[in-house]
């Protein structure tokens, strides 16, 4: 019996040692994943090129606007509108990166707040003096204000016959360019700080990025779709809250927003030509491959749906409100996978607040 117990003890000890080694190897595999690879891939292949593209698009918009100012016509206004749309789409590819330089200048709010306060815009134009950097003008600047000036009722006549109106549009575009130029410049030095910020403290670049990622998706869900279709007003539609309502670009901006969040999740380059390290790879390394696949599939579905919608979101609010509500609910269901499951897997605390019950 003693001999049997002795060898049984040896066998048990070996099993424990082997199991410990297996667990250690498993932990080592997780530790081998370098979050620096996610951050460096995003910085070099998505963020920095994205801001550079936005800078270029705004410069082009400025040029076409100057052409209109020199020679107002429907043709030159149409060129301005086309460049405004291109620049707005470019902005929607990077606005979720509310980290570092963009956070410091409040780029998302400065360029993307909607709807525009048209009364404040008209007051500023009439006064001829204003400070576009003040809080009272946050709804009177950015892409949405240009949507009002470039697409509003009788806008060609108003722009042609009002130098004050043209000056106001010039000042908005100049402000946008200056802020994006600052972000582009600051990223040249912030890049190393961003890549080194792999910790999970609330101030680390990785944690701030995860928070910005989740927050931007929630804002798209709530502001671009939920509020207009009535989810915050007992089912009563609120078309006045639609983004880019006058131009009808809102559907494109919603789709671009979803695509951008998906691309960052996958670690795609801005051009879509390469797939580097992203949040999906980190989830897989953490044995969360099923969660990664679920998030990927949900984003793919959300990207494809708007292409099948007929007309603008406002058109859909009248013709197919159920389709929009179903899409909103699907987005809301996706929030849980990002804000709860993914963030928890990463060990990141969600620090922002939302007010829609998610």
């Amino acid at each position: 019996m003693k001999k049997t117990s002795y060898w049984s003890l040896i066998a048990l000890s070996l099993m424990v040692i082997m199991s410990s080694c297996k667990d250690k190897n498993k932990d080592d595999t997780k530790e081998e994943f370098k979050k620096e690879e996610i951050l460096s891939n995003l910085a070099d292949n998505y963020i920095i090129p994205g801001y550079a593209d936005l800078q270029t698009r705004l410069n082009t918009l400025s040029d076409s606007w100057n052409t209109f100012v020199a020679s107002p016509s429907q043709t030159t206004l149409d060129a301005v509108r086309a460049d405004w749309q291109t620049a707005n789409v470019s902005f929607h590819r990077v606005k979720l990166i509310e980290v570092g330089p963009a956070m410091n200048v409040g780029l998302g709010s400065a360029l993307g707040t909607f709807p525009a306060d048209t009364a404040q815009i008209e007051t500023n134009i009439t006064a001829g003096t204003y400070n576009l950097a003040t809080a009272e003008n946050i709804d009177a600047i950015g892409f949405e204000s240009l949507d009002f000036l470039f697409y509003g009722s009788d806008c060609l006549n108003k722009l042609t016959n009002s130098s004050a109106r043209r000056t106001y549009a010039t000042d908005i575009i100049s402000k946008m360019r200056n802020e994006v130029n600052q972000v582009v410049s600051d990223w040249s030095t912030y890049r190393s700080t961003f890549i080194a910020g792999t910790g999970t403290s609330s101030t680390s670049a990785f944690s701030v990025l995860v928070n910005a990622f989740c927050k931007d998706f929630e804002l798209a869900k709530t502001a671009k779709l939920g509020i207009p279709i009535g989810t915050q007003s007992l089912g009563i539609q609120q078309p006045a809250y639609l983004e880019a309502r006058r131009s009808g670009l809102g559907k494109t901006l919603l789709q671009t927003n979803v695509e951008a969040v998906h691309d960052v999740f996958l670690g795609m380059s801005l051009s879509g030509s390469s797939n580097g390290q992203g949040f999906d790879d980190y989830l897989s390394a953490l044995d969360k491959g099923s969660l990664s696949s679920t998030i990927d599939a949900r984003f793919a579905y959300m990207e494809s749906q708007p292409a099948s919608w007929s007309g603008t979101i406002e058109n859909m609010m009248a013709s197919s409100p159920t389709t929009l509500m179903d899409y909103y609910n699907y987005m809301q269901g996706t929030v849980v996978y990002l804000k709860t499951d993914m963030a928890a897997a990463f060990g990141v605390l969600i620090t922002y607040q939302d007010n829609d019950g998610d």
Side-chain angles (χ1 to χ4, degrees):
M1 292 293 293
K2 288 182 180 180
K3 185 175 181 180
T4 301
S5 298
Y6 172 79
W7 287 111
S8 296
L9 181 61
I10 292 295
L12 179 61
S13 298
L14 288 172
M15 290 175 64
V16 170
I17 292 171
M18 290 175 66
S19 177
S20 298
C21 289
K22 182 178 180 181
D23 290 341
K24 185 175 185 302
N25 289 336
K26 186 176 182 180
D27 291 338
D28 287 345
T29 299
K30 293 180 181 179
E31 291 175 1
E32 285 174 3
F33 188 89
K34 302 297 184 183
K35 284 184 280 186
E36 292 94 333
E37 295 181 7
I38 294 178
L39 300 179
S40 61
N41 173 53
L42 288 175
D44 295 338
N45 297 312
Y46 192 91
I47 300 172
I48 294 175
Y51 284 129
D53 181 72
L54 177 57
Q55 183 182 50
T56 297
R57 304 299 182 182
L58 285 175
N59 289 340
T60 301
L61 172 60
S62 179
D63 290 341
S64 62
W65 172 246
N66 289 335
T67 298
F68 173 86
V69 170
S71 179
S73 70
Q74 187 63 55
T75 298
T76 53
L77 179 59
D78 287 344
V80 170
R81 289 172 168 176
D83 290 336
W84 171 86
Q85 291 189 23
T86 302
N88 205 345
V89 169
S90 179
F91 167 64
H92 273 72
R93 293 197 179 102
V94 294
K95 76 180 184 67
L96 71 96
I97 312 296
E98 197 75 358
V99 179
M103 180 188 294
N104 294 339
V105 302
L107 192 68
S109 296
L111 270 63
T113 297
F114 67 92
D117 185 340
T118 58
Q120 182 65 37
I121 292 172
E122 296 292 2
T123 296
N124 288 342
I125 293 172
T126 300
T129 57
Y130 38 79
N131 181 354
L132 297 183
T134 62
E136 69 177 350
N137 282 319
I138 192 64
D139 299 323
I141 56 177
F143 282 106
E144 193 71 9
S145 294
L146 294 178
D147 179 76
F148 169 64
L149 294 171
F150 296 162
Y151 292 90
S153 175
D154 198 27
C155 62
L156 176 58
N157 181 54
K158 291 177 181 178
L159 288 169
T160 300
N161 295 297
S162 172
S163 61
R165 204 170 193 84
R166 295 194 300 273
T167 297
Y168 192 73
T170 299
D171 290 344
I172 290 177
I173 294 172
S174 178
K175 182 178 186 296
M176 295 166 72
R177 291 177 67 202
N178 289 339
E179 287 159 345
V180 171
N181 289 344
Q182 186 65 55
V183 171
V184 169
S185 175
D186 289 350
W187 260 95
S188 63
T189 54
Y190 178 70
R191 177 186 177 279
S192 59
T193 301
F194 179 73
I195 294 172
T198 58
T200 55
S201 70
S202 62
T203 57
S204 73
F206 183 77
S207 289
V208 174
L209 176 64
V210 172
N211 270 268
F213 175 94
C214 295
K215 182 179 181 179
D216 187 73
F217 180 75
E218 279 206 272
L219 282 174
K221 168 185 70 74
T222 303
K224 293 183 188 298
L225 192 60
I227 292 174
I229 67 175
T231 63
Q232 310 294 308
S233 52
L234 302 177
I236 300 173
Q237 294 185 348
Q238 305 289 333
Y241 288 90
L242 283 166
E243 182 177 21
R245 184 186 185 189
R246 296 166 186 83
S247 62
L249 193 64
K251 182 174 72 172
T252 297
L253 298 180
L254 173 62
Q255 187 172 17
T256 301
N257 202 150
V258 172
E259 289 172 353
V261 178
H262 192 192
D263 285 347
V264 169
F265 175 77
L266 295 174
M268 298 295 293
S269 64
L270 185 72
S271 65
S273 60
S274 64
N275 185 340
Q277 293 291 297
F279 291 163
D280 63 327
D281 299 293
Y282 190 24
L283 286 174
S284 295
L286 295 171
D287 294 331
K288 298 290 184 179
S290 178
L291 174 60
S292 177
S293 297
T294 296
I295 293 173
D296 184 24
R298 292 183 77 89
F299 273 124
Y301 174 82
M302 288 184 290
E303 285 179 32
S304 66
Q305 289 307 294
S308 66
W309 297 350
S310 177
T312 65
I313 293 179
E314 187 165 7
N315 295 148
M316 291 288 291
M317 287 167 62
S319 65
S320 307
T322 301
T323 298
L324 295 181
M325 184 60 72
D326 289 345
Y327 188 85
Y328 169 83
N329 288 333
Y330 195 85
M331 293 184 78
Q332 183 162 286
T334 304
V335 169
V336 176
Y337 293 105
L338 303 177
K339 187 178 177 181
T340 302
D341 299 339
M342 184 185 78
F346 290 167
V348 169
L349 178 66
I350 296 298
T351 56
Y352 69 88
Q353 299 293 322
D354 67 87
N355 300 309
D356 62 359
D358 291 330

